[in-house]
Amino acid sequence: METKKKGFPVAFWVCACSEIFERLAYYLGRSLILIFVTASVATGGLGLSDTVAANMQSNLTAFSYLLPLFGAVIVDKYIGARYTTPVGMFIAAAGYFTGGIAKSAIGVYVMIFLVSLGLALFKNGAIIGRVITDKSQMDPAFSMRYTLVNVGAFIGTFLVGILYKDVFAKDGVLGFAPCFKMAALMMVLGGLWYIFVCWRFLGDLGKLPFKKTLTEEEKAAEAKKKEETGTKQPLTTIEKKRIGAIFVASLFSIVFWIFWYLGYMPVYFYWAENMDWVVAGYQVPSTWFDAANSLFCVILGPVTAALWKKLAARPQGDMSLFRKTGLGIAIIGVGYLFYAAIDIMRGGEKASVLWLIVFAFLLTMGEMFFSPLGHSFISKYSPSRYLAVMMSVWGFATFIAAKSYGPVYGLLFGGKIEFKVACIGVAVVSFAAALIMIALDKKLSALVD
């Protein structure tokens, strides 16, 4: 008899769609910071240096991954994630609105704090990790979630370049304030979506802290331990091993995200001067590189989801997370080799900006083999009592990378090393990290199975 293919529950789709609101607002605001802070006061900006602007954007990126560690403790121990998530969206909305009325650097820093605090309470990923109960569906589900995440990211990064300089601009004043306020509106709508739509399909899921909602596997293990010892043990041996595996994977995540963020920097600096940014008479906005990455995520999400489903159906089973993410790091290395090839082939002339489409594709392909699978892996193997914390550990690795790629860029691409040589160096380190991760596959996989 033919087995009917099992799809994702409605709760998955409605919760995953809430990411569209959050990412649209985040990327609209994040992309605008560099331009708003450095634009002259006469055009509606703050008139500050590019160094200050870069630090502000870096802090928004970094602290939006750091503060979730504190939010994770709240949802794991005290308050259900279904309640903190819309509250976090409303707090972030207040942050973006503050950016819309900011007249000084203080206003921008207040925005950064409120947005980061709001995202600390936004625990939709952990909710999705419990909506999907079949482990074989985890990788495809989080790949599809990543597609919806990047629908929002694409709209935000694509529109921001048009909105602030065309649609909302008036009498020489650029439309920064309306753009930030639009980001605030998106977060308010997202919070309302979560309350009036997501809650309807979640049932009781997320009402209690994660430590009070054990999986069937955890209930069986706890009952067995009680029967053997007569006491409730804090963590079993396999749970400790799984936590160790999550920390090891997070260490490799630092390497991956440093090189991923680093790949953006030449677009705004080196290639800004060494590429022709005019295509068919139109000056291509630099923010469209971010949009290209998001668009490729949208396209590749269903493709990689289908690939993971096919691999999971094999007689030998799915490919391990460590092999998949090792390949992701290697693909990033291929991207840097492509950067070096462009620099060599242009022979001192300006290369066409269209070559960046290929690099954006390679960057995104590496990302799809890495980023969505981290949350999937943690949802499969993290003890429930530490689910949100373990997801935030993965995010904390991104915080370290976000605070590190600036100094790494200065070291490699600050002018002392030839651009193509630096790119080849990054590629070599990427390949080495990938080989180490694949070589450790059996040992790391043994920790979780």
Side-chain angles (χ1 to χ4, degrees), residues 44-60:
L46 298 182
L48 303 176
S49 70
D50 55 355
T51 303
V52 172
N55 285 334
M56 286 179 173
Q57 190 192 65
S58 173
N59 284 327
L60 175 61

Side-chain angles (χ1 to χ4, degrees), residues 86-97:
V87 170
M89 298 183 86
F90 295 141
I91 292 173
Y96 292 122
F97 185 82

Side-chain angles (χ1 to χ4, degrees), residues 115 264 292 343 350 372 427 442 446:
V115 170
Y264 270 72
D343 201 39
K350 287 191 175 183
K442 289 185 178 180

Side-chain angles (χ1 to χ4, degrees), residues 10 17 32 42 64 128 149 173 181 197 211 216 233 254 261 265 270 291 367 380 391 398-399 422-423 430:
V10 176
C17 282
L32 204 60
S64 65
I128 289 175
V149 163
V173 177
K181 290 175 183 178
V197 179
K211 76 171 186 177
E216 293 303 317
Q233 300 298 316
I254 295 173
Y261 282 120
M265 303 299 281
Y270 187 79
E367 182 181 355
K380 290 178 188 177
M391 283 197 170
T398 309
F399 163 78
C423 289
S430 297

Side-chain angles (χ1 to χ4, degrees), residues 100-142:
I101 60 175
K103 301 299 181 183
S104 67
I106 294 175
V108 179
Y109 282 118
V110 172
M111 178 189 78
I112 291 170
F113 172 75
L114 289 174
V115 170
S116 299
L117 179 61
L119 296 185
L121 299 173
F122 183 79
K123 297 302 180 186
N124 189 50
I127 287 283
I128 289 175
R130 286 298 175 260
V131 167
I132 303 297
T133 56
D134 184 349
K135 287 186 178 181
S136 67
Q137 284 194 315
M138 285 288 187
D139 286 359
F142 275 93

Side-chain angles (χ1 to χ4, degrees), residues 33-194:
I33 284 179
L34 286 175
I35 307 167
F36 169 60
V37 173
T38 56
S40 66
V41 175
T43 59
L46 298 182
L48 303 176
S49 70
D50 55 355
T51 303
V52 172
N55 285 334
M56 286 179 173
Q57 190 192 65
S58 173
N59 284 327
L60 175 61
T61 303
F63 287 102
S64 65
Y65 286 101
L66 175 64
L67 290 187
L69 271 173
F70 301 99
V73 174
I74 293 174
V75 300
D76 279 342
K77 293 187 175 183
Y78 304 111
I79 304 174
R82 68 186 291 155
Y83 303 119
T84 67
T85 296
V87 170
M89 298 183 86
F90 295 141
I91 292 173
Y96 292 122
F97 185 82
T98 302
I101 60 175
K103 301 299 181 183
S104 67
I106 294 175
V108 179
Y109 282 118
V110 172
M111 178 189 78
I112 291 170
F113 172 75
L114 289 174
V115 170
S116 299
L117 179 61
L119 296 185
L121 299 173
F122 183 79
K123 297 302 180 186
N124 189 50
I127 287 283
I128 289 175
R130 286 298 175 260
V131 167
I132 303 297
T133 56
D134 184 349
K135 287 186 178 181
S136 67
Q137 284 194 315
M138 285 288 187
D139 286 359
F142 275 93
S143 293
M144 288 305 302
R145 175 216 180 196
Y146 211 67
T147 288
L148 294 171
V149 163
N150 281 281
V151 168
F154 171 73
I155 295 172
T157 51
F158 182 80
L159 285 183
V160 68
I162 300 172
L163 293 176
Y164 86 89
K165 68 183 182 67
D166 296 323
V167 177
F168 294 137
K170 186 177 181 181
D171 299 328
V173 177
L174 299 172
F176 300 119
C179 283
F180 283 121
K181 290 175 183 178
M182 176 177 283
L185 176 62
M186 289 299 104
M187 290 303 279
V188 170
L189 293 177
L192 294 175
W193 168 272
Y194 215 88

